Amino acid sequence: MSNTNLTDVVVIGSGIGGLSCAAILARYGFDVTLCESHSIPGGAAHAFERNGFKFDSGPSLYSGLSYKPSANPLRQVLDAIAEDIPWVTYDTWGCCLPEGDFDTTVGADQFCEVLARLRGQDAVAEWRKLQCVIEPLASAAVAIPPAALRLDLGAVITMGRFALPMLRHAGNITKLTGAFSQVMEGVVCDSFIRNWLDLLCFLLSGLPANGTSAAEMAFMFADWYRPGVVLDYPVGGSGALVDALVRGLEKHGGQLILNAHVEQVLVEGNRATGVRLRNGKEIRVRRAVVSNASVWDTLKLLPEQAVPKWFIEQRVSTPECDSFMHLHLGIDVQGLPSQLACHYIVVNDWEKGVTAPQNVVLVSIPSILDPSLAPPGKHVIHVYTPGNEPYALWQGMERKSQEYAQRKRSRAEVMWQALERIIPDIRQRCEVTLVGTPLTHERFLRRHRGSYGAAIPAGKGFFPGSGTPLQGLLCCGDSTFPGIGLPAVAASGMITANTLAPVHKHLEMLKDVV
């Protein structure tokens, strides 16, 4: 039996970016092989089960996915591959801030009630003024659907049908490339609103307002602060979303290979020609290799001198988001108040800044929306510090050492304390307790320094996109497209797939999406 296979495209890594890319390529008719190092797909969005509790490993907040057409790139991917899952919708989430604890909703009006109570009518007037300033920017941000984008001259044709909206918003489109803080200047003076916007920016990009692009925030405002808006949660958790993308891939003839660790990208004649797996098997390609590994981890897969020195230096020097601490809990709910929200954001001290280590903590209790995630009378809880845990505190530490165990306990304490603001007796309720660290991220997700992605400040650099100097090698994922959430990685995967596709097939796909 031959130890070499032949396919059109190999995609490295089954995170949402890689799955989106592979599924769209398969829909276009390419012979696609998706290689995943681990035993389950999904990357940072994979799900896992312990003692009957089903946990999301990563993302917990979804929007723009329960309806179509939608500007959300992940919704556009699902539409392109004709897949969907049931969604539970809701509109309320909890906030535990230095100003106090309160619930808020998506949509513009209720937040104004919160502002009036906390800061007075002057703050409400500032927020309303900001909404007026952002409204044309939000319209510009969604004028071009991500599904129409590609990174070659074919974009002139695929984006051409949206030329009129683009022209209508041309003046505002240029404003979207700068930092969101520039939009705030002269509009927002209230300290609470500025802190709130910094927080929203951080959750979108891993950076405060002076580093987050106006486009990201304009897109969020277009989605969150419109009439009738709801948030979404996939029935079955993030694993159900991953399964839908895998179904779309396989339905269109693509192949997912698990436990297939790519050890090296094969290069011949200054062109990527395939990959070699750890078991020695080679998969050769007719068209391209697409890496969904991070920009840092992709370099580790290339032979020496496969790419120019300047490219290596550029990628190595890409600034990175910090890592995560995770707390996954399975708890007994007897006696718990029934009005718990599905999500909470906890901020300990505005003065430290939203990016300060352990200053922001997120809490997700998805079984409130989807009881199937936990046994009867139980809840699953995921608490995490979102991209603010320094890897340096963990670097070189032996995972089985007493020092590591003690560090896990001490660094997890902030998550316990955040959760105790919501469920005071939480420690007595736990039936399953799992703590994840940056080393967990690094090991199980094969992430460079456990990072969640690139942190390139708006106006001070550009995300590299899918292209590389090595012919036949493309990249997608959270290090190639602005933002660190699911919409960003789905967009990156879709744009990369579009770039490889014939223009006429791309135009056919757009009919199903927009």
Side-chain angles (χ1 to χ4, degrees), residues 19-44:
L19 279 168
S20 297
C21 181
I24 295 285
L25 284 169
R27 182 248 155 88
Y28 282 139
F30 288 99
D31 185 8
V32 183
T33 301
L34 176 57
C35 295
E36 169 54 48
S37 180
H38 293 298
S39 57
I40 50 177

Side-chain angles (χ1 to χ4, degrees), residues 147-158:
L149 301 177
R150 52 189 294 140
L151 300 176
D152 62 7
L153 291 176
V156 174
I157 299 174
T158 59

